[in-house]
Amino acid sequence: MEIARPSRTALGVAVRRACHQIHDSSPLVLDDPIAIPILGDTYRQAIDDSAASINDRFSLAMRAWLVARNRYAEDKLAEAVAHGVQQYILLGAGLDTFAHRNPYPDLKIFEVDHPSTQRWKRDLLVSSQLPEPTNLHYVPVDFELQSIARQLEESCLDFTAPTVFARLGVVLYLTHTAFRSAIDLIATFPAGSGVIFDYALPRHALAAHELEARDTLSARVASIGEPFQLFFTPEEIAGELSGFSVLEDLDASALNYRYFANRTDQLSLLGRSANIISAWR
Ligand SMILES: C[S@@+](CC[C@H](N)C(=O)[O-])C[C@H]1O[C@@H](n2cnc3c(N)ncnc32)[C@H](O)[C@@H]1O
């Protein structure tokens, strides 16, 4: 990611979550009443501009993927909270709105993000007149240049308490070193802790008909300064997570079965370009 500029991909993801609230049928996969307000007047036009292609197959599949990964993380968090977890850390939070919809009064939330993206989000909250929740803590970190642990030490995080981490839409923008350092940190947290993240499959693991969509998307994100650079096969990711005991790794068809069966609209995932995983201590 370029150093001085907020993440443009974070905006793209947030616009698609907002479009889900307007254009997709009930029940929504991610019911997020803050998804539109957080964009405020500043990005209202971006929502309107998406309308023309809203039901294109690629647009539907991308929106389905983005809302499913948030929903999955929030479902896993709900299970963990039911087992007593009281800390949630969003690594690369972007414009995620969970902290503003948090139904758990005792949950402490930490949004860890690149300093320029985090500053932009906080300015956007002010201009959109959304107050910052009192149990939300901001931790600015450049994952490539700084230690997440050291920056978290400056916050009120309890390193001895079970903690859930979510890292959505982030891994494929990182170097392997930055990816590993977070996994190694999470592995030091006590039993009951876990991480939810998505990863992209390498090009050689994709079917021929999936390559065009991947290449188009790769070129688009590279052109805005956020190139894809880290890919895993399911076997490789299982190897990376050897310090964790329970793994759930869902591909597009598993997500379609879980979240998109019986819908009355066309919203569903396509292909097998990326998976979402949860791993628990
Ligand atoms: C595609 S956005 C996803 C945002 C959010 N998780 C979501 O799903 O809406 C990628 C996020 O990764 C963060 N990111 C990418 N590279 C980073 C780095 N080197 N250090 C810190 N954050 C980084 C960006 O700031 C951005 O918030």
Side-chain angles (χ1 to χ4, degrees), residues 1-10 90-95 111-122 138-146 148 151 170 173-174 225-226:
M1 226 181 94
E2 287 171 16
I3 303 299
R5 212 170 59 175
S7 167
R8 300 262 299 275
T9 58
L90 288 141
L91 296 174
L95 298 183
E111 291 196 359
V112 180
D113 207 345
H114 194 283
S116 51
T117 303
Q118 194 163 82
R119 183 69 267 153
W120 165 66
K121 180 183 198 175
R122 297 183 74 172
Y138 291 104
V139 182
V141 181
D142 184 332
F143 301 142
E144 302 294 346
L145 301 177
Q146 294 172 294
I148 301 173
Q151 299 303 111
V170 180
Y173 299 104
L174 300 178
E226 296 174 53

Side-chain angles (χ1 to χ4, degrees), residues 120-272:
W120 165 66
K121 180 183 198 175
R122 297 183 74 172
D123 290 345
L124 198 52
L125 289 171
V126 171
S127 63
S128 303
Q129 298 183 325
L130 289 169
E132 292 181 350
T134 49
N135 53 351
L136 169 61
H137 308 275
Y138 291 104
V139 182
V141 181
D142 184 332
F143 301 142
E144 302 294 346
L145 301 177
Q146 294 172 294
S147 152
I148 301 173
R150 212 163 300 134
Q151 299 303 111
L152 282 170
E153 276 164 14
E154 310 283 310
S155 74
C156 61
L157 181 71
D158 179 354
F159 283 72
T160 66
T163 301
V164 172
F165 293 75
R167 198 180 214 192
L168 306 178
V170 180
V171 166
L172 79 177
Y173 299 104
L174 300 178
T175 58
H176 186 257
T177 305
F179 166 76
R180 261 295 357 138
S181 69
I183 296 298
D184 292 341
L185 170 67
I186 297 164
T188 66
F189 277 72
S193 299
V195 60
I196 301 113
F197 68 90
D198 54 302
Y199 66 95
L201 275 74
R203 213 170 171 281
H204 67 75
L206 302 184
H209 66 275
E210 293 164 344
L211 292 175
E212 191 184 338
R214 163 65 67 83
D215 291 345
T216 303
L217 192 57
S218 294
R220 195 186 303 164
V221 294
S223 74
I224 56 174
E226 296 174 53
F228 294 157
Q229 52 179 349
L230 189 60
F231 305 92
F232 295 101
T233 62
E235 296 72 27
E236 287 166 344
I237 209 76
E240 297 280 355
L241 296 169
S242 56
F244 294 78
S245 52
V246 180
L247 297 187
E248 182 175 55
D249 188 351
L250 303 183
D251 63 11
S253 53
L255 288 169
N256 276 335
Y257 181 74
R258 187 171 295 201
Y259 294 123
F260 298 91
N262 307 319
R263 288 192 65 80
T264 55
D265 58 15
Q266 300 301 308
L267 192 67
S268 65
L269 283 81
L270 267 184
R272 55 185 303 268

